[in-house]
Amino acid sequence: MTRRTSIGEPTTLPGSHDRGWRRCTRSSPCPICGRTKFCSLTPDGTAVVCTKTESDHATRNGAWLHPIGESKHRHRRHLPVVPTQRADLELLARRLADNVTPERLTAFANALGVSMESLIALGVGWNGGAWSFPMTNARGDVVGIRYRNWRGEKWSERGGHEGVFRHLHSAVGNGPLLMPEGPTSSAAVLTLGFEVIGRPNDRGGGRYCCELALGRDVVVVADRDEGGQGQRGAQGLAHQLVRWATSVQVITPPVKDLRDWLLSGASRNDVDRLIAAAPMQRLQVRYRQ
């Protein structure tokens, strides 16, 4: 069986007659429709191709894919934790945040064109020569720190690894979850009133984005760069998210990134209209004859 989505190249999966998938039988009926034939189940019970009950994931042979492990268990799951080389990153992030003065924060927010509240929500700090943004895993543990100086140069604290930028104090909301690239675009998302999970770059943070997307409506925000790298990274993440999120869309602002769009005068309504016009990314499955 070949899984084909509206994004990227098809990925080969074992068909129901191949090693991996098994036919539903009297002793192991379909968990979706209850029938004892025609449907196929994965060995670990996380997905079934049902020939009777419809879902959002249509297959080429007229059946429907049901990721039953996700639909039955909507509580948050966590992938195995990736350890960091340093255990003091949480403490370091708090110390850097304590170095921020109101005057310095006001100047930085004005230079970026975002709200001070958005920077505080992201846990912004100051090390004496550059601004810091903590990166967390899906549990909220600080696993890395990103620095940015006044010239826009960027680097990371040694001993950590890439995580995501997120509101450190808010509860999970019900609205669309936007996933832009970088901490300053994440601040722009918060300034516009959306919930955010910021990616560390165009290719990073996928594992944590997927965990935090479980059961959510997700909008991946692609950067508009000359080489198309931002587009490819956003589409690649969307390809992963379709198996976790309730819905996935990809939007591209009319300028370089979401922060530049905010600087040019974009409002929440402008972003809402762009989201409304974006197609849903869907997972489709077809059997290879």
Side-chain angles (χ1 to χ4, degrees):
M1 184 176 69
T2 298
R3 182 181 69 195
R4 183 181 295 273
T5 70
S6 56
I7 46 180
E9 294 299 321
T11 302
T12 300
L13 296 173
S16 60
H17 53 282
D18 297 328
R19 179 170 57 87
W21 289 66
R22 66 178 186 271
R23 291 286 190 186
C24 294
T25 63
R26 189 182 299 272
S27 61
S28 180
C30 175
I32 301 299
C33 69
R35 293 198 295 179
T36 59
K37 55 183 178 180
F38 304 126
C39 304
S40 302
L41 187 71
T42 57
D44 59 3
T46 60
V48 61
V49 172
C50 181
T51 57
K52 182 179 180 181
T53 305
E54 296 185 9
S55 75
D56 291 335
H57 309 312
T59 69
R60 293 294 183 91
N61 67 336
W64 296 271
L65 178 72
H66 294 263
I68 58 176
E70 295 169 16
S71 61
K72 287 187 175 181
H73 305 286
R74 283 296 184 184
H75 59 276
R76 181 159 297 161
R77 301 181 305 176
H78 296 286
L79 298 172
V81 175
V82 177
T84 62
Q85 299 176 28
R86 295 176 54 173
D88 65 333
L89 291 176
E90 192 107 28
L91 179 60
L92 176 59
R94 288 200 298 267
R95 287 175 176 171
L96 292 169
D98 289 340
N99 292 336
V100 177
T101 63
E103 297 77 16
R104 192 172 283 139
L105 182 64
T106 300
F108 190 41
N110 290 339
L112 293 176
V114 301
S115 69
M116 289 187 292
E117 291 77 12
S118 69
L119 296 174
I120 294 171
L122 293 171
V124 71
W126 175 253
N127 74 348
W131 294 95
S132 64
F133 293 89
M135 294 182 286
T136 75
N137 59 18
R139 299 190 307 183
D141 306 322
V142 176
V143 296
I145 297 176
R146 175 73 56 81
Y147 294 101
R148 176 191 176 102
N149 63 20
W150 287 106
R151 295 186 296 275
E153 298 169 333
K154 306 166 190 175
W155 66 95
S156 296
E157 181 75 24
R158 290 185 178 180
H161 62 260
E162 290 181 343
V164 292
F165 306 103
R166 57 191 296 202
H167 197 305
L168 299 181
H169 314 293
S170 70
V172 174
N174 296 318
L177 179 61
L178 271 62
M179 294 185 175
E181 182 183 329
T184 59
S185 285
S186 298
V189 168
L190 291 173
T191 301
L192 288 164
F194 293 97
E195 190 178 353
V196 70
I197 298 296
R199 298 173 283 142
N201 50 56
D202 62 294
R203 297 285 182 178
R207 57 180 282 124
Y208 301 138
C209 288
C210 286
E211 286 190 76
L212 294 167
L214 184 62
R216 299 295 306 275
D217 296 313
V218 176
V219 179
V220 182
V221 184
D223 281 2
R224 186 182 293 274
D225 47 28
E226 294 182 0
Q229 189 171 343
Q231 288 287 331
R232 290 191 294 272
Q235 295 289 349
L237 176 60
H239 183 85
Q240 301 176 55
L241 289 170
V242 291
R243 295 186 60 84
W244 294 74
T246 300
S247 68
V248 181
Q249 295 168 277
V250 177
I251 64 171
T252 306
V255 292
K256 177 182 176 293
D257 56 29
L258 195 62
R259 185 172 70 88
D260 279 358
W261 198 20
L262 176 63
L263 285 171
S264 67
S267 66
R268 165 86 185 230
N269 288 337
D270 293 323
V271 180
D272 281 332
R273 283 193 290 269
L274 190 61
I275 294 172
M280 295 290 179
Q281 306 290 331
R282 298 188 183 277
L283 178 67
Q284 293 186 346
V285 178
R286 66 178 175 85
Y287 284 103
R288 185 169 53 199
Q289 302 298 326

